[in-house]
Amino acid sequence: MSEKVLLIGTNVRNVAESAKKAGYEVYAITKFPDLDLKLYCEEVYELRDDVRELAEKIAQEKDAKVVLCSNAETLELKAELLCNDPKVSKKIVDKLNFYRTLEKCGIPHPELLRKPEGKTILKPRFGGGGEGIRFFGEIEKSEEFILQRFIEGIPCSVSLICGREVTPVACNYVFSGWKEMGAENFRYSGNLTPLKVETEKIRRLEKMAIEIVELFDLRGSVGVDFILSDEAYALELNPRFQGSLDSVEMSCDVNLFSMHVKAFEEKRVEKPSPKRFAIRAILFADGDVIVKRDLSGNPFYADVPFGFYKRGDPLVSILASGGYEEVFRKVIERRDLFLRLVKN
């Protein structure tokens, strides 16, 4: 009989797919019950206000371990967890607390400012996915936002597995505000794996990522976001599965959920090598759209939509693998194909 897991988060399709392929029986509580999510789950439940009560009930009835995913990292439950302790995650998702921890340890990060100086970023103290990040000037500063010096550079991340030791799995390019995908400001819009920079820079990123995660008592799949300029500056630590899961698995021929479980079992995890370039791109709606065609099962697309979506909603994930130039060409071609399919 398969082990059972209950995933909780805003979007959990990528984790559900990985868990299903790893042999688990999967249940999910989510904000986005995409059509293809149902291919990997026994049951899908709507994320609602009484999520704690609902999660504890399902976990007990199904005898399932709980995996806290995007925007649910700090949810404290009476259930067996297969993820990081929500109390530890609370210290990390509070960006002000996170940056102060980095400061004490001398780890480079964009400077925190008391008032705007030159190009300044206004960033929500809590939240992820680049939501709400913009240049200063649009709203007044409050305790819910922090000011940071803007650093020009390459947005990127390191995916790691924390177990008996910390193992870097992949370095990824982070698409931030990708205009071709309809993303505004700094909104997270996908990943390219592997990051195409010099080997020395990859080693520097991996070394710094290991130093950062070792500051906290973490287990399983985690990720550190950076801006790579004259040096690497830490932006965020995600104590959960990351949006780069698809591109990492496609690039490296690995199953991240299996690696995540091995970490909790104190088993050794081998560092994989990228076999090809892979992209997961998130396309956002450029206006109100009604999707009537079911594209689940199509290997070009994930997080498959159905129904009404308003401007700015995440619409679909576009997948591609191959050579460096090839993956970008495929993504644009598959974007155009998707728009033709759903509008005809």
Side-chain angles (χ1 to χ4, degrees), residues 129-131 174-177 183 186-191 243-244 280 282 284:
E131 299 285 346
V174 177
F175 294 106
S176 176
F186 296 90
R187 198 171 190 184
Y188 169 70
S189 33
N191 290 95
S244 57
R280 174 211 177 194
I282 303 170
F284 296 89

Side-chain angles (χ1 to χ4, degrees), residues 35-292:
L35 290 180
D36 53 338
L37 175 61
K38 297 166 187 177
L39 297 175
Y40 311 113
C41 294
E42 302 299 314
E43 296 174 29
V44 177
Y45 305 85
E46 181 185 357
L47 189 63
R48 56 194 200 207
D49 291 340
D50 65 342
V51 61
R52 180 176 285 105
E53 181 182 339
L54 175 63
E56 290 175 350
K57 179 183 176 184
I58 296 169
Q60 184 176 21
E61 288 180 354
K62 307 295 183 184
D63 190 25
K65 295 178 182 178
V66 174
V67 182
L68 301 174
C69 303
S70 55
N71 296 313
E73 307 97 313
T74 61
L75 181 64
E76 296 187 37
L77 299 170
K78 295 177 182 176
E80 185 177 358
L81 300 180
L82 187 59
C83 60
N84 284 302
D85 186 333
K87 290 186 176 68
V88 174
S89 295
K90 280 182 180 177
K91 299 174 184 177
I92 296 168
V93 300
D94 180 343
K95 294 184 183 65
L96 186 57
N97 179 75
F98 174 63
Y99 290 131
R100 284 174 174 164
T101 301
L102 296 185
E103 278 180 359
K104 290 176 185 175
C105 300
I107 295 175
H109 60 86
E111 181 187 358
L112 294 171
L113 302 172
R114 293 183 179 276
K115 60 182 181 179
E117 294 179 19
K119 240 180 179 180
T120 302
I121 290 291
L122 188 72
K123 180 182 291 186
R125 185 171 171 178
F126 300 92
E131 299 285 346
I133 300 176
R134 48 203 174 273
F135 287 110
F136 180 83
E138 296 183 26
I139 67 171
E140 291 299 315
K141 181 177 179 291
S142 73
E143 291 184 0
E144 297 303 312
F145 289 82
I146 57 177
L147 290 176
Q148 265 186 316
R149 189 178 304 282
F150 175 71
I151 295 175
E152 206 65 73
I154 301 169
C156 54
S157 69
V158 180
S159 302
L160 310 103
I161 296 290
C162 301
R164 287 172 57 183
E165 55 193 18
V166 181
T167 304
V169 176
C171 288
N172 320 287
Y173 180 83
V174 177
F175 294 106
S176 176
W178 193 359
K179 290 182 173 54
E180 286 82 359
M181 294 297 123
E184 297 179 344
N185 296 320
F186 296 90
R187 198 171 190 184
Y188 169 70
S189 33
N191 290 95
L192 165 75
T193 306
L195 176 66
K196 192 181 180 186
V197 297
E198 297 88 343
T199 302
E200 179 272 326
K201 291 180 179 178
I202 294 291
R203 288 177 180 156
R204 192 193 321 168
L205 287 166
E206 291 178 342
K207 181 175 182 292
M208 188 181 296
I210 291 171
E211 289 174 355
I212 291 169
V213 299
E214 286 181 341
L215 298 174
F216 304 89
D217 184 19
L218 294 173
R219 286 291 179 272
S221 178
V222 302
V224 185
D225 292 348
F226 293 94
I227 194 78
L228 183 58
S229 184
D230 55 324
E231 63 178 305
Y233 297 86
L235 297 179
E236 289 185 20
L237 168 56
N238 293 305
R240 53 162 174 78
F241 285 101
Q242 308 97 62
S244 57
L245 187 154
D246 290 298
S247 62
V248 172
E249 290 194 342
M250 287 191 293
S251 173
C252 301
D253 288 340
V254 293
N255 183 283
L256 279 177
F257 198 88
S258 293
M259 297 171 80
H260 175 82
V261 174
K262 278 185 178 180
F264 280 87
E265 295 173 343
E266 295 294 320
K267 294 179 180 176
R268 185 175 298 280
V269 173
E270 297 295 328
K271 180 181 178 180
S273 299
K275 309 292 191 300
R276 63 195 66 86
F277 287 97
I279 287 180
R280 174 211 177 194
I282 303 170
L283 178 64
F284 296 89
D286 61 0
D288 293 349
V289 59
I290 298 175
V291 181
K292 297 180 180 179

